[in-house]
Amino acid sequence: MTKIGMRRVWFQLHKWIGLILAILIIPLSLTGTALVWDEALDHGLNPQRYAVTGGNAIDVQTYVAAARAVLAPGERIATISRDDTGPVVVTASKAGKTATAGPPARTTLWLDPPSARLLDGSSGNKGLIHTMHMIHGSLMIPGIGRQIVGWIGVAMALSCLSGLWLWWPTVGKWVRGLRWRRHRNLDTNLHHLTGFWIALPLFALSLTGIWISFPGIFGGGAPRGERGAARPQPLAAPRLGVDTVIAGAQVLVPGDWRQITWPTDRKPAWSVSFADTPNTVTIDDTTGAAGIAATPPETTARLMRRIHDGTRMGGVWQTIIFLAGLIPAMLAVTGIIMWWRARRWKAQLSARTARIVGAD
């Protein structure tokens, strides 16, 4: 195949991926953009959750009692976490052995650190941010939604490669492609230039999205929240009290606790993490034996997710993936405009040619 023939193939591939998937790419892109800074978004949407009166923590058992006073019957505390400036956050799950698809339904409570006063409470499966996560992860389509998003990621990766091929100037040096005015129309210039600068980051996000959507192919098991087995349940009545657990953990790692994880029916052991140290203390709920858990190495699956959502990746990469989520929506719109203008131009050319032929 000649170079011109190959270019036509890439053009048709690029065009039809954009036209067919535009309606799906736009919501995926915009929700991904918003979720880069989901914590800041939550602060803006729910300021009452962070209206703390101070940062001094009190006895952890007071937080447990305050949480249990507002939790529904059957809900069991799963974790309690805090930092130096924000609220104490309690998560609880409802007891039940039925395996269900999707993320586990959890209740989250935000407590004022100095008083244990309830600031806010919410179901983990409700709210705008949860809805955006569901759109971005599965288009809110039960069962096959995650796989559909994965195949959209495949299409996006092909679109990035074909876009780079089409961006490359057909004559002259490659730096000619960096010119702003490659075309008389603003939308075409935007499409060519922004598409070039975002192509490689978008390709990386597409690949990591494919990995997340098809973990079984890459050796990562079933997607999180979609396994067939029943999920672990926090114990209804642990043998050890939470104060005893904290005291035992601080013998091994002195300092302020940051998160306490309750024992479950699958793993009857407490877990306590601390500030300023990666060490985590585990305490067996049956024997009371305590030990420092080895920090597990980061898995490839977790790395792929961090690259995709920007967690602990620094402000530069978070800004890049913010733009990599925002720009594809613009590329979809400008691509449709370019396609529609080309159709009109071809129709006008055909009509003009027909008139000339008829006149002859």
Side-chain angles (χ1 to χ4, degrees):
M1 183 180 294
T2 65
K3 186 176 181 179
I4 294 177
M6 180 63 73
R7 190 176 183 86
R8 288 174 178 168
V9 171
W10 280 115
F11 177 78
Q12 293 297 322
L13 177 67
H14 190 79
K15 178 181 72 175
W16 288 110
I17 286 177
L19 291 175
I20 294 173
L21 299 182
I23 195 172
L24 299 178
I25 289 172
I26 291 174
L28 286 178
S29 298
L30 295 182
T31 53
T33 293
L35 292 173
V36 172
W37 289 299
D38 56 352
E39 291 185 7
L41 183 61
D42 189 53
H43 276 69
L45 293 173
N46 303 290
Q48 73 279 5
R49 296 175 179 176
Y50 307 95
V52 299
T53 60
N56 296 326
I58 56 179
D59 181 65
V60 67
Q61 189 61 51
T62 305
Y63 300 132
V64 173
R68 286 176 175 166
V70 297
L71 289 173
E75 289 186 314
R76 303 173 182 178
I77 295 177
T79 66
I80 293 182
S81 58
R82 69 182 181 92
D83 56 31
D84 292 327
T85 59
V88 173
V89 181
V90 181
T91 64
S93 61
K94 191 172 183 62
K97 298 295 184 179
T98 303
T100 58
R106 285 194 168 184
T107 298
T108 304
L109 306 176
W110 290 264
L111 307 177
D112 186 37
S115 64
R117 176 176 57 88
L118 179 67
L119 299 173
D120 195 18
S122 174
S123 168
N125 291 351
K126 294 181 180 179
L128 177 60
I129 294 178
H130 170 74
T131 300
M132 288 193 293
H133 275 289
M134 294 297 292
I135 293 173
H136 192 74
S138 64
L139 291 172
M140 301 189 75
I141 301 174
I144 62 172
R146 185 179 292 268
Q147 288 72 39
I148 293 175
V149 171
W151 283 111
I152 293 174
V154 173
M156 286 295 295
L158 292 174
S159 183
C160 291
L161 294 176
S162 59
L164 282 174
W165 182 285
L166 296 171
W167 169 89
W168 203 275
T170 54
V171 294
K173 296 182 179 181
W174 67 271
V175 292
R176 289 171 56 89
L178 298 177
R179 295 177 304 167
W180 167 250
R181 296 192 61 82
R182 291 184 61 178
H183 198 275
R184 64 186 179 185
N185 295 310
L186 174 64
D187 51 83
T188 304
N189 289 321
L190 281 172
H191 196 90
H192 279 293
L193 202 58
T194 57
F196 166 75
W197 286 110
I198 210 63
L200 292 181
L202 186 57
F203 183 75
L205 291 178
S206 298
L207 289 183
T208 54
I210 295 168
W211 189 294
I212 294 169
S213 297
F214 302 113
I217 296 176
F218 302 101
R224 183 175 60 180
E226 295 186 6
R227 294 173 175 84
R231 299 182 180 90
Q233 299 293 330
L235 296 181
R239 297 185 61 179
L240 299 179
V242 66
D243 285 332
T244 301
V245 170
I246 292 293
Q250 289 176 331
V251 171
L252 297 178
V253 181
D256 296 330
W257 62 271
R258 283 295 177 261
Q259 179 167 301
I260 308 166
T261 303
W262 259 242
T264 67
D265 52 3
R266 193 172 298 175
K267 185 180 179 181
W270 298 79
S271 176
V272 184
S273 60
F274 292 86
D276 304 322
T277 176
N279 294 326
T280 299
V281 176
T282 59
I283 298 180
D284 191 288
D285 188 60
T286 303
T287 64
I292 297 178
T295 303
E298 183 174 55
T299 63
T300 303
R302 182 57 192 159
L303 176 61
M304 293 296 103
R305 186 170 289 276
R306 288 205 303 113
I307 293 173
H308 193 79
D309 60 28
T311 303
R312 301 197 315 275
M313 295 296 290
V316 173
W317 179 247
Q318 288 178 332
T319 302
I320 289 174
I321 62 177
F322 172 83
L323 295 174
L326 188 63
I327 289 176
M330 183 271 291
L331 293 175
V333 174
T334 55
I336 292 173
I337 294 173
M338 293 162 59
W339 168 75
W340 184 253
R341 185 170 52 241
R343 280 179 57 89
R344 291 176 57 188
W345 176 79
K346 290 178 180 179
Q348 293 170 359
L349 180 61
S350 297
R352 190 180 305 116
T353 302
R355 286 196 300 269
I356 294 173
V357 171
D360 291 340

